[in-house]
Amino acid sequence: MSITLKVIQGKLAGKRYIFKEYTTCIVGRGKYCGIIVPNDKLISRHHCLLDINPPDIRVRDFGSRNGTYVNNQKIGQRDKNQTAREGTKLSLPEYELKNGDELKLSNTIFRVEIDTPIIQKIQPAQILKGLLAKAGTNELFIIPSYIILKQLGETVFLLQHTETGEKVVFKVIIPQIAANEYVTENVLREIENSKTLCHKNIVQLKHSGSSNGLFFFRLEYCELGNVEDLMKQHGGTLSVELACHIIRQALTGLEYAHNAIIPDIKLQDGTMIKGGGLIHRNLKPANIFLSGNSTFPIAKVGNFGLAKSFEIAGLSGQTRTGTIAGTPYFQSQQQVINFKYVKPEVDVWAMAASLYYMLTGAYPRIFHKEQDMWQTVLQSEPIPIRQRKNSIPPKLAQVIDDALVDKPMIQVKSATELKQALDRVMGLIQ
């Protein structure tokens, strides 16, 4: 299952861009775009955004000067009397592309080729009904001897072992379409890699598997919920002491994950190699879980490696722009521009953005309803935190502001660097 963009006209004629898994891709003249169309002044620096999750592909114009066309029909463009900056404030609709569609930017034309096996659509309601009926029996091999205590989400359950009393979280991935061999192998490969992570500040993936086209995960249960839950309990923000206590632990887990040795990474060709580190790519307060003492809880980074698996599987209901890649509220410019090839530093930026949010209740950037949120990330800079809340200690504010610099590059490169900076201002390192 793949999507190919074949250039059939223009300076790039003959080139093919092949996508086999989820990615966002900006097309334009800018040097950091995923697809660069050079030396064409009729194409904007950031012309349009592609949201690709095979077999789905959508396009959105970014308020370009000369417009984006699908099958010769214009789908977006700013008015002639609007400046480029005004164009970035337009929130233009997405358009779904089909096999054989032609996408035109100036004189460059891409033909969309979607390779999808003929397979039966999965009906989530039927699958879940069957899952509940089989839970606790030998038919559902992943959860024998467990009973369902409650449903935590659409496909997330809290289970309890009938003998030990241990509580675990059970998640189900329902693919958008029935999983073929490529999808199944890639999901399981990503999960096997993430199962090697074992650290007190990372939610432990205890078991995983697949059956009848579904993927199952049994995870460590964190009884205090996540940081979003805690913020609501505290009236919307957290104290400096509590927020830094949580973030420092999360950074410790992140530091471990970024540097962990993955002993047996299985490549697409079946070759086994050793590798170093995993990148989360979807860090936010809702993915930092809490357990232990409610006053000073143990923080654990959750869903490590699962986001990539969701992308590969085309998780049902998760194909709209931003939902897989994570809403851009906690994303750096580098992650929006180069989602597929991000480096660990994007996780560090997201962690600083999460701390900012925990202390202020606001996102680092101002997202206006009338402006495209992805353009906001590309065009604006984070607001200094003391402009949001002047009671933040100046030295702490400086650490956070420095960690949120992402133009032209992210300034703070590692979880260790950010954690040490926080330690110094919190008086933990003399």
Side-chain angles (χ1 to χ4, degrees):
M1 183 166 57
S2 65
I3 291 175
T4 299
L5 296 179
K6 179 181 178 181
V7 185
I8 61 173
Q9 179 179 302
K11 296 178 179 179
L12 300 176
K15 291 204 67 171
R16 291 174 177 264
Y17 300 89
I18 300 173
F19 305 90
K20 292 187 176 182
E21 59 189 50
Y22 182 84
T23 189
T24 55
C25 179
I26 296 174
V27 185
R29 287 187 295 111
K31 64 179 180 179
Y32 296 116
C33 289
I35 297 178
I36 301 173
V37 185
N39 305 319
D40 188 338
K41 293 184 178 179
L42 296 180
I43 292 180
S44 298
R45 189 162 61 92
H46 299 140
H47 197 99
C48 64
L49 174 74
L50 297 175
D51 175 35
I52 302 169
N53 193 16
D56 293 326
I57 176 170
R58 296 179 176 86
V59 61
R60 184 196 309 169
D61 185 82
F62 263 169
S64 63
R65 183 179 64 178
N66 294 293
T68 300
Y69 294 79
V70 175
N71 299 328
N72 289 320
Q73 296 294 315
K74 184 167 64 178
I75 65 165
Q77 181 182 15
R78 68 176 184 264
D79 292 337
K80 292 182 179 180
N81 60 349
Q82 289 181 308
T83 65
R85 181 171 292 277
E86 290 172 333
T88 64
K89 295 180 179 180
L90 300 174
S91 185
L92 298 167
E94 291 182 320
Y95 287 82
E96 186 170 354
L97 299 176
K98 304 293 186 182
N99 186 47
D101 282 351
E102 293 185 357
L103 177 66
K104 181 178 179 181
L105 288 69
S106 181
N107 293 317
T108 298
I109 299 178
F110 300 86
R111 177 175 292 150
V112 179
E113 299 175 353
I114 302 177
D115 178 21
T116 306
I118 300 174
I119 42 186
Q120 182 180 2
K121 289 276 186 177
I122 289 178
Q123 300 299 323
Q126 296 176 7
I127 294 296
L128 287 177
K129 185 177 179 180
L131 171 64
L132 289 170
K134 294 180 180 180
T137 73
N138 290 331
E139 292 181 73
L140 195 57
F141 68 91
I142 194 172
I143 51 172
S145 303
Y146 284 92
I147 59 171
I148 295 176
L149 295 182
K150 62 179 177 179
Q151 189 168 348
L152 301 175
E154 184 180 3
T155 60
V156 184
F157 303 88
L158 177 62
L159 308 183
Q160 186 174 37
H161 197 278
T162 54
E163 297 179 2
T164 66
E166 178 195 29
K167 294 179 181 179
V168 296
V169 172
F170 180 68
K171 289 189 176 185
V172 185
I173 287 186
I174 303 176
Q176 184 188 1
I177 59 176
N180 58 24
E181 184 178 354
Y182 173 84
V183 169
T184 300
E185 288 184 357
N186 278 274
V187 170
L188 296 180
R189 184 178 68 245
E190 290 297 328
I191 292 304
E192 284 303 311
N193 292 343
S194 63
K195 281 171 69 174
T196 63
L197 299 180
C198 184
H199 192 276
K200 66 178 182 179
N201 296 122
I202 293 177
V203 175
Q204 182 67 45
L205 175 58
K206 294 176 175 290
H207 191 89
S208 64
S210 65
S211 177
N212 297 323
L214 302 181
F215 301 95
F216 308 100
F217 307 92
R218 194 165 71 230
L219 299 146
E220 176 184 3
Y221 174 57
C222 296
E223 69 278 9
L224 299 181
N226 60 42
V227 169
E228 284 274 18
D229 300 328
L230 185 65
M231 291 176 66
K232 292 176 183 177
Q233 296 169 18
H234 284 251
T237 61
L238 302 181
S239 68
V240 167
E241 185 178 20
L242 180 55
C244 288
H245 169 80
I246 291 170
I247 286 293
R248 287 183 61 259
Q249 293 181 82
L251 284 167
T252 300
L254 191 63
E255 177 184 26
Y256 164 80
H258 283 172
N259 294 284
I261 299 299
I262 312 300
D264 296 305
I265 294 180
K266 185 178 180 181
L267 302 179
Q268 291 185 16
D269 63 2
T271 305
M272 304 297 290
I273 64 169
K274 289 185 177 181
L278 294 176
I279 303 172
H280 194 289
R281 299 196 302 178
N282 194 19
L283 283 172
K284 53 188 175 182
N287 273 336
I288 301 175
F289 293 85
L290 305 169
S291 65
N293 187 310
S294 59
T295 303
F296 288 104
I298 299 171
K300 297 173 180 283
V301 179
N303 293 327
F304 231 116
L306 296 188
K308 184 70 177 295
S309 301
F310 293 164
E311 296 158 15
I312 296 171
L315 179 60
S316 177
Q318 297 282 330
T319 57
R320 289 293 180 184
T321 299
T323 51
I324 291 285
T327 49
Y329 305 130
F330 299 97
Q331 286 191 16
S332 63
Q333 183 190 67
Q334 282 70 26
Q335 186 163 347
V336 172
I337 290 174
N338 201 18
F339 175 78
K340 189 174 181 179
Y341 300 104
V342 293
K343 297 179 180 180
E345 60 202 46
V346 302
D347 284 349
V348 181
W349 196 98
M351 200 67 82
S354 296
L355 178 56
Y356 186 112
Y357 181 78
M358 291 158 66
L359 293 171
T360 66
Y363 306 121
R365 291 184 170 93
I366 298 176
F367 290 87
H368 298 286
K369 290 182 179 180
E370 66 275 10
Q371 182 174 5
D372 182 278
M373 61 178 61
W374 301 97
Q375 283 282 26
T376 297
V377 177
L378 294 173
Q379 301 293 336
S380 67
E381 297 182 8
I383 304 300
I385 193 169
R386 280 174 58 84
Q387 290 185 24
R388 300 281 203 185
K389 192 173 183 179
N390 61 14
S391 62
I392 303 295
K395 291 184 178 180
L396 174 60
Q398 189 63 57
V399 168
I400 295 171
D401 290 342
D402 288 346
L404 290 175
V405 172
D406 64 348
K407 295 180 182 179
M409 300 298 292
I410 293 175
Q411 181 167 304
V412 178
K413 301 292 187 181
S414 71
T416 302
E417 184 181 352
L418 179 55
K419 181 173 176 286
Q420 289 176 344
L422 289 173
D423 284 348
R424 284 193 292 269
V425 299
M426 295 302 292
L428 299 177
I429 295 179
Q430 300 299 324

